[in-house]
């Protein structure tokens, strides 16, 4: 397949020495090679997000590296992608902000907050993890029939983490109230993957799959995201 498609926006403050950002760029190249498609990706600082974002970009990857300079603009982009069926992928900090956006705009918890921005907020959907996951590799279990299980072609995997924050255990019951699916967890049952079953590609992972991608073996989640972007453009 050889076609020109609008670029993907990588939302976040790009830092050339930050390993997850380096891995994000490389993982996209790996997936491009696998799919044989001319699909580029550009970093967009969160403070530069505006109403014309989706006139220029065909999908968004909300990248690791929070706190973002502009949380509200980031949440707006996630909401727009969710409501308009635009491919949206969030890893680490991206996953966390997808949860906040969903809590605010679907579950109607307008004060839903992230502890990295406001640790004393009354409605913390994202809280500091008791033990940091940065640098750890952990086993994951996927829900049978979920999109993520189909993408991996199995019900388990090992992935790397680079985060200190995750879903607040006190908010899990509320998070299960809407259509968003909790489709992956670790060995202790903690939420590690979310997806929207009514969306072509709306997936968030607390882990950073891009760090395991190689040219010989592109990561299936990254490839599936790019494939969703290409499919929407055709």
């Amino acid at each position: 397949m050889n076609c020109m498609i609008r670029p993907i926006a990588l939302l976040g403050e790009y830092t050339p020495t930050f390993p997850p950002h380096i891995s994000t760029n490389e993982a996209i190249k790996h997936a491009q090679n696998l799919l044989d498609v001319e699909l580029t990706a550009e970093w967009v600082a969160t403070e530069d997000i505006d109403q014309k974002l989706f006139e220029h970009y065909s999908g968004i990857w909300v990248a690791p590296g929070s706190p973002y300079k502009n949380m509200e603009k980031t949440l707006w982009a996630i909401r727009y992608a969710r409501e308009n069926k635009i491919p949206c992928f969030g890893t680490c900090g991206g996953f966390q902000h997808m949860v906040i956006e969903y809590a605010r705009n679907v579950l109607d918890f307008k004060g839903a907050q992230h502890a990295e921005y406001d640790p004393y907020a009354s409605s913390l959907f994202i809280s500091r993890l008791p033990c940091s996951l940065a640098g750890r590799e952990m086993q994951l279990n996927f829900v049978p029939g979920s999109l993520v299980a189909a993408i991996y072609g199995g019900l388990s995997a090992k992935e790397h983490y680079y985060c200190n924050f995750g879903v607040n255990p006190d908010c899990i019951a509320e998070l299960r109230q809407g259509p968003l699916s909790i489709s992956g967890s670790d060995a202790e049952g903690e939420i590690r993957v979310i997806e929207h079953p009514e969306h072509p590609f709306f997936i968030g992972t607390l882990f950073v799959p891009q760090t395991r991608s190689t040219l010989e073996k592109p990561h299936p989640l990254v490839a599936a995201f790019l494939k969703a972007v290409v499919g929407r453009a055709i």
Side-chain angles (χ1 to χ4, degrees):
M1 180 188 301
N2 287 293
C3 54
M4 287 298 297
I5 303 167
R6 285 180 300 160
I8 294 167
L10 305 175
L11 303 184
E13 280 60 63
Y14 178 66
T15 304
T17 56
F18 186 44
H21 287 180
I22 298 170
S23 298
T24 299
N25 289 338
E26 292 302 311
I28 289 172
K29 293 177 183 177
H30 302 157
Q32 287 174 327
N33 186 63
L34 175 70
L35 299 174
D36 186 26
V37 62
E38 296 291 334
L39 178 59
T40 58
E42 298 175 359
W43 285 89
V44 177
T46 59
E47 60 187 352
D48 293 335
I49 295 170
D50 60 27
Q51 300 293 320
K52 295 183 178 180
L53 180 75
F54 294 99
E55 293 179 14
H56 304 292
Y57 299 100
S58 53
I60 59 172
W61 183 339
V62 193
S66 61
Y68 303 129
K69 287 187 177 179
N70 196 309
M71 180 186 189
E72 297 307 318
K73 287 185 176 181
T74 305
L75 296 180
W76 171 84
I78 294 170
R79 180 177 187 174
Y80 190 97
R82 177 178 55 79
E83 293 181 341
N84 292 278
K85 310 295 187 184
I86 296 169
C88 177
F89 190 25
T91 57
C92 196
F95 162 96
Q96 297 159 15
H97 287 73
M98 289 170 76
V99 169
I100 296 296
E101 186 281 321
Y102 183 78
R104 288 186 181 185
N105 300 315
V106 178
L107 301 181
D108 207 31
F109 286 89
K110 299 304 183 185
Q113 191 53 274
H114 189 307
E116 199 168 22
Y117 298 87
D118 185 359
Y120 303 108
S122 59
S123 186
L124 281 178
F125 270 74
I126 298 296
S127 58
R128 182 174 289 276
L129 297 167
C131 297
S132 173
L133 293 178
R136 294 179 63 185
E137 180 181 88
M138 297 178 67
Q139 185 76 21
L140 288 157
N141 298 307
F142 305 127
V143 174
S146 63
L147 178 57
V148 71
I151 290 170
Y152 274 87
L155 298 180
S156 65
K158 281 188 178 180
E159 293 288 359
H160 289 128
Y161 292 81
Y162 214 93
C163 56
N164 297 307
F165 296 84
V167 174
N168 184 349
D170 295 336
C171 295
I172 292 176
E174 288 83 355
L175 199 59
R176 292 183 182 277
Q177 290 176 4
L180 193 72
S181 296
I182 297 169
S183 54
S185 58
D186 63 16
E188 298 173 355
E190 299 293 337
I191 298 173
R192 300 296 182 242
V193 188
I194 55 171
E195 63 181 62
H196 201 305
E198 300 168 9
H199 194 288
F201 195 101
F202 190 86
I203 294 177
T205 69
L206 191 62
F207 55 87
V208 279
Q210 54 267 52
T211 63
R212 292 179 63 87
S213 184
T214 65
L215 184 59
E216 296 74 23
K217 191 175 181 180
H219 197 285
L221 275 176
V222 180
F225 171 58
L226 265 63
K227 190 173 182 179
V229 172
V230 172
R232 183 175 183 273
I234 294 175

